[in-house]
Amino acid sequence: MPTTTTITKVTVIGLGPMGTAMADALLDQGYDVTVWNRTASRADALVARGAHLAPGVGEALAANELVVLSLTDYAAMYDLLGPVEDRLQGRVLVNLSSDTPEEARKAARWAADRGAVQLTGGVTVPPSGIGRPESSTFYSGPREVFERHRPVLEAITGTTDHRGEDPGLAALFYQIGMTMFWTSMLSYWQATALARANGLTASDILGHAVDTANSLPGFLAFYAERIDAGRHSGDVDRLAMGMASVEHVLHTHADAGVDTALPAAVAALFRRGMDAGGATQSFSGLVELMGK
Ligand code: NDP
């Protein structure tokens, strides 16, 4: 049974909106927090609240065993920690910067070669969700290290979801979420542009947009089972019907003089499914096409 360590001191490197919220949450919960940021002035408010500003990134590493990294990407980590890599021995790097699963695996090996351990994190909430019990973060990496430091991780977001030992898994879950987030939000901007071209405001369509988004969980659950069973039969929907529908969407945008890049890309995918012989199958069959 892994044991939990009562760590009271934490370093946070990277004080963008996320790192700042994390350092704030740790201070709120009584941790002794050392911070460092490339642009030092971003630490001012935290220092006023009792955080220690390390004079350099090496000193920030030396200050504590547990080091939270909240940087734009993993390249920023190499920029920062590369020159002080001799300070990494014995450190636990909780890397909450986002990047690809492959970058997360590479960084875990890089850290291990320098005597440190990386826990990869994928935070699923914006800065306003940091420090809140209902917020959640994916983690992956050594389970024992995760369990040992769970209280600190729970101070950052109340729910911690360890997905496995592979350091790439937390990044993969994060990227799965972001795949849906960016395209869903883009579809909302697209719908709003169409509404505005027709004299409606974002507020006018908000209720309809929310109802549409709220209808999606039922579709996801329905199709997940069938996809896992390899079943794409056209008993509920057929790709040929979808093809006609997405073309109506495309033409509605073209008629209104709205950018058609997104609806055209959707129609092109449906067309490839049709060309592959999927007309009488469900549009869920596109998942097989995309997987190739
Ligand atoms: P920002 O990109 O705004 O800030 C990240 C930090 O990285 C800053 O402190 C910045 O320093 C530092 N940084 C970037 N490049 C370098 C470099 N080459 N050398 C040194 N320092 C560098 O990100 P956020 O705080 O918004 O987010 C942090 C991470 O969390 C990102 O990976 C993001 O994808 C992820 N995330 C963000 C969410 C959000 O809503 N903001 C939600 C979920 C995840 P400086 O201040 O000097 O510019």
Side-chain angles (χ1 to χ4, degrees):
M1 184 73 184
T3 53
T4 297
T5 311
T6 315
I7 270 205
T8 57
K9 298 177 73 207
V10 183
T11 289
V12 178
I13 296 177
L15 300 176
M18 288 298 264
T20 300
M22 288 169 191
D24 260 325
L26 290 163
L27 286 170
D28 286 345
Q29 294 177 57
Y31 285 90
D32 181 303
V33 181
T34 296
V35 294
W36 188 86
N37 193 53
R38 178 179 60 181
T39 309
S41 58
R42 294 182 101 169
D44 289 352
L46 291 164
V47 170
R49 292 198 59 208
H52 314 287
L53 177 62
V57 71
E59 287 84 351
L61 280 181
N64 296 307
E65 177 196 348
L66 193 78
V67 178
V68 172
L69 300 174
S70 179
L71 300 165
T72 306
D73 51 25
Y74 278 57
M77 178 194 73
Y78 297 115
D79 283 352
L80 282 182
L81 304 191
V84 291
E85 61 178 41
D86 54 319
R87 293 290 199 34
L88 283 169
Q89 180 69 38
R91 295 293 165 266
V92 172
L93 303 177
V94 180
N95 200 334
L96 300 175
S97 320
S98 68
D99 215 311
T100 66
E102 264 318 299
E103 280 296 335
R105 292 184 185 111
K106 198 176 102 193
R109 289 193 294 273
W110 183 83
D113 288 346
R114 287 151 185 81
V117 178
Q118 173 178 288
L119 276 180
T120 312
V123 187
T124 62
V125 291
S128 56
I130 297 299
R132 302 194 64 83
E134 67 275 18
S135 299
S136 182
T137 299
F138 293 116
Y139 286 98
S140 65
R143 174 118 216 161
E144 175 271 327
V145 178
F146 167 79
E147 292 294 351
R148 190 147 44 90
H149 295 297
R150 197 195 269 261
V152 180
L153 308 179
E154 286 177 350
I156 295 171
T157 57
T159 304
T160 53
D161 186 357
H162 188 263
R163 304 306 309 188
E165 299 270 327
D166 169 2
L169 280 174
L172 176 63
F173 271 81
Y174 177 80
Q175 295 304 344
I176 285 169
M178 294 320 288
T179 300
M180 296 185 66
F181 177 79
W182 290 126
T183 49
S184 302
M185 290 307 292
L186 203 54
S187 75
Y188 174 53
W189 306 155
Q190 182 78 47
T192 304
L194 176 63
R196 283 163 43 136
N198 285 277
L200 298 168
T201 66
S203 302
D204 288 334
I205 65 158
L206 181 61
H208 181 39
V210 168
D211 287 345
T212 304
N214 284 343
S215 73
L216 293 179
F219 286 100
L220 306 189
F222 175 77
Y223 285 109
E225 271 183 30
R226 291 162 66 109
I227 290 168
D228 286 347
R231 195 149 55 86
H232 300 294
S233 52
D235 54 335
V236 176
D237 73 278
R238 298 201 305 162
L239 187 67
M241 174 279 290
M243 183 79 248
S245 175
V246 297
E247 279 182 343
H248 300 157
V249 173
L250 175 59
H251 297 149
T252 302
H253 285 76
D255 290 348
V258 173
D259 189 285
T260 55
L262 184 61
V266 173
L269 264 170
F270 275 68
R271 173 58 57 201
R272 278 171 53 201
M274 295 287 284
D275 292 346
T280 59
Q281 301 276 296
S282 166
F283 83 133
S284 64
L286 292 179
V287 80
E288 311 294 347
L289 192 81
M290 290 166 156
K292 282 178 188 144

